[in-house]
């Protein structure tokens, strides 16, 4: 049976994650990036404190990182992928270890 989740896209995503991926040891929350990497600051919705770079772990695909690529089947070269995170971006955060650890999962 299909269940319709009410609300906008963000609230629907949050409800879906909680419904199918709920783990009592991990909570998924939404947040706003106040300043980008490397000195990232984040404000989680409905929390009074701001998190800084010492408080969060950011997934590799959101940080500057290097990749080996071949363009059009050509020679393999190393490419630097720059962080896509900017101030004002909305992100999904996993809170773990009784809300003492924070992992930035992705932009939303």
């Amino acid at each position: 049976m299909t269940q319709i989740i009410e609300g906008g896209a963000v609230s629907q995503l949050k409800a879906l994650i909680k419904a199918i991926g709920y783990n009592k040891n991990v909570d998924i929350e939404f947040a706003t990036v106040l300043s980008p990497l490397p000195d990232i600051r984040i404000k989680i919705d409905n929390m009074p404190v701001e998190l800084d770079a010492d408080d969060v772990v950011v997934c590799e695909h959101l940080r500057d990182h290097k990749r080996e690529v071949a363009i059009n089947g050509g020679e393999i070269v190393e490419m630097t992928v720059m962080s896509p995170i900017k101030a004002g971006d909305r992100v999904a955060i996993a809170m773990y270890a009784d809300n003492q650890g924070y992992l930035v999962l992705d932009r939303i």
Side-chain angles (χ1 to χ4, degrees), residues 51-64:
L51 305 175
D52 62 27
D54 294 333
D55 299 319
V56 300
V57 175
V58 180
C59 288
E60 180 188 48
H61 70 279
L62 298 173
R63 296 181 278 124
D64 293 352

Side-chain angles (χ1 to χ4, degrees), residues 94-106:
M95 298 188 316
Y96 59 94
D98 293 325
N99 295 341
Q100 297 301 308
Y102 303 91
L103 173 64
V104 181
L105 300 170
D106 213 339

Side-chain angles (χ1 to χ4, degrees), residues 42-57:
I42 295 176
K43 171 74 173 72
I44 297 177
D45 296 356
N46 304 314
M47 284 185 65
V49 297
E50 294 177 7
L51 305 175
D52 62 27
D54 294 333
D55 299 319
V56 300
V57 175

